[in-house]
Amino acid sequence: GESVGLHLPTLSVQEGDNSIINCAYSNSASDYFIWYKQESGKGPQFIIDIRSNMDKRQGQRVTVLLNKTVKHLSLQIAATQPGDSAVYFCAERSQGAGGTSYGKLTFGQGTILTVHP
Amino acid sequence: DTAVSQTPKYLVTQMGNDKSIKCEQNLGHDTMYWYKQDSKKFLKIMFSYNNKELIINETVPNRFSPKSPDKAHLNLHINSLELGDSAVYFCASSQIMNTEAFFGQGTRLTVV
């Protein structure tokens, strides 16, 4: 299930199920999006990215969907494994001043994914 | 080889002290960052440097001073530490164009 509020949203799934993690972004000018995975005691680790001129991108067991109309990003994980348990962040990169590439990476709230064997 | 390494991994210190966190990347990237992650896991950018020049400086107290001696290093010095500075600080690097940022393992700072 999911919970919101003062705590991070959580998603609990059984091993082998598919997982979908959602993210709403704020800046319609953002042109690049990334999903990161953060395991306990470690730094965020890149999973997959997508540019704003695309609406879908697939990797190994992961798919990112981008809906610019409603400013929504999702990460789908196929055949979820216990090793997928972590906090997942979406991040958006907005252009810097004057359309430069120095735009900062802004992170979303994060979702805790727990995979039960 | 560790791509982005930061030291120390843990830092416990008293209020009022001055401390530094070091970061090095061996990826040949042009841009380096400092992020702060609070107890609710929220990640917020603090600074960004491109080729040793400050590019992004979010509203961070001026007790925090980044220093980039060369494009492979970005250190963070914090003066007069306060309890609210307790957090995990992450260094990261990326290429100048829109590519992903690679993160270090983090430095857990605890101010007592």
Side-chain angles (χ1 to χ4, degrees):
Chain A
E2 291 188 342
S3 66
V4 294
L6 295 178
H7 305 286
L8 286 180
T10 61
L11 178 64
S12 293
V13 300
Q14 290 296 124
E15 181 177 2
D17 286 352
N18 295 333
S19 302
I20 299 176
I21 300 171
N22 296 303
C23 177
Y25 65 93
S26 57
N27 189 345
S28 56
S30 294
D31 60 356
Y32 179 63
F33 304 88
I34 310 173
W35 279 100
Y36 281 93
K37 171 187 180 184
Q38 185 178 22
E39 296 174 282
S40 181
K42 296 185 178 180
Q45 180 183 9
F46 170 86
I47 302 174
I48 192 168
D49 59 2
I50 188 167
R51 299 192 186 279
S52 59
N53 60 354
M54 303 170 69
D55 53 20
K56 180 179 179 179
R57 189 159 188 230
Q58 287 185 288
Q60 188 177 11
R61 283 202 305 120
V62 295
T63 300
V64 56
L65 299 178
L66 175 63
N67 185 331
K68 294 182 288 294
T69 303
V70 296
K71 292 190 283 189
H72 183 267
L73 201 64
S74 68
L75 177 71
Q76 301 176 1
I77 306 174
T80 317
Q81 302 166 2
D84 294 328
S85 294
V87 179
Y88 288 80
F89 294 93
C90 67
E92 59 180 306
R93 188 184 297 276
S94 52
Q95 286 290 321
T100 67
S101 300
Y102 299 145
K104 64 183 181 183
L105 200 59
T106 301
F107 282 77
Q109 182 181 17
T111 296
I112 300 173
L113 174 65
T114 304
V115 183
H116 301 283
Chain B
D1 283 347
T2 304
V4 182
S5 60
Q6 50 183 113
T7 55
K9 189 169 171 63
Y10 299 97
L11 184 54
V12 181
T13 188
Q14 290 187 324
M15 275 195 307
N17 283 351
D18 303 338
K19 290 292 179 185
S20 292
I21 308 172
K22 295 186 176 182
C23 179
E24 175 182 7
Q25 55 96 2
N26 62 6
L27 297 166
H29 288 165
D30 296 311
T31 308
M32 296 185 72
Y33 313 83
W34 278 107
Y35 281 83
K36 179 180 180 180
Q37 186 171 48
D38 63 21
S39 58
K40 293 182 173 58
K41 297 288 189 183
F42 185 63
L43 266 165
K44 184 170 169 55
I45 191 168
M46 300 172 69
F47 301 102
S48 170
Y49 269 73
N50 178 260
N51 277 324
K52 303 192 298 175
E53 289 188 29
L54 181 65
I55 300 298
I56 295 172
N57 182 353
E58 292 295 289
T59 48
V60 176
N62 56 16
R63 298 182 294 105
F64 290 79
S65 53
K67 283 188 171 49
S68 183
D70 55 62
K71 74 174 192 177
H73 295 83
L74 181 62
N75 303 323
L76 183 65
H77 188 75
I78 316 170
N79 289 327
S80 303
L81 278 155
E82 301 177 357
L83 293 176
D85 297 331
S86 296
V88 181
Y89 292 84
F90 286 100
C91 176
S93 73
S94 71
Q95 282 294 73
I96 189 172
M97 299 302 289
N98 282 349
T99 60
E100 72 270 22
F102 291 79
F103 284 79
Q105 293 280 64
T107 296
R108 181 174 292 278
L109 171 66
T110 303
V111 183
V112 297

